[in-house]
């Protein structure tokens, strides 16, 4: 059904181009309706991604603990004479 609608739209556009008639403006509120639909689709996709991430097990590697290095308290940084 969507393909047929697109074909009709293309035929209408070609006919208008051939007759050199400008496209009529869209009905008022069309842009807002499209924006609302796109936002709802994006929201659904974000929620689906979050649910999928929550459903898959997290394979976290344990943090590697490195030994600490003790500095010589007598060492003075920046001086070569000690």
């Amino acid at each position: 059904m969507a393909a047929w609608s697109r074909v009709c739209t293309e035929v209408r556009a070609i006919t208008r181009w051939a007759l050199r008639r400008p496209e009529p403006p869209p009905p008022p509120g069309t842009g807002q309706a499209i924006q609302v639909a796109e936002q709802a689709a994006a929201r659904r996709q974000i929620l689906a991604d979050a649910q999928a991430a929550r459903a898959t097990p997290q394979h976290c590697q344990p943090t590697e603990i490195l030994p600490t290095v003790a500095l010589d308290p007598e060492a003075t940084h920046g001086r070569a004479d000690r």
Side-chain angles (χ1 to χ4, degrees), residues 51-75:
Q51 288 175 347
R54 231 180 290 138
T56 57
Q58 300 296 320
H59 299 290
C60 297
Q61 298 296 325
T63 305
E64 183 178 348
I65 300 173
L66 299 175
T68 57
V69 177
L71 298 176
D72 182 11
E74 298 293 319

Side-chain angles (χ1 to χ4, degrees), residues 18-58:
L19 297 175
R20 301 279 192 240
R21 291 175 35 198
E23 285 283 331
T30 302
Q32 289 176 341
I34 291 171
Q35 184 179 16
V36 167
E38 288 176 348
Q39 286 175 348
R43 194 175 302 116
R44 284 191 301 272
Q45 184 63 44
I46 289 170
L47 289 173
D49 290 346
Q51 288 175 347
R54 231 180 290 138
T56 57
Q58 300 296 320

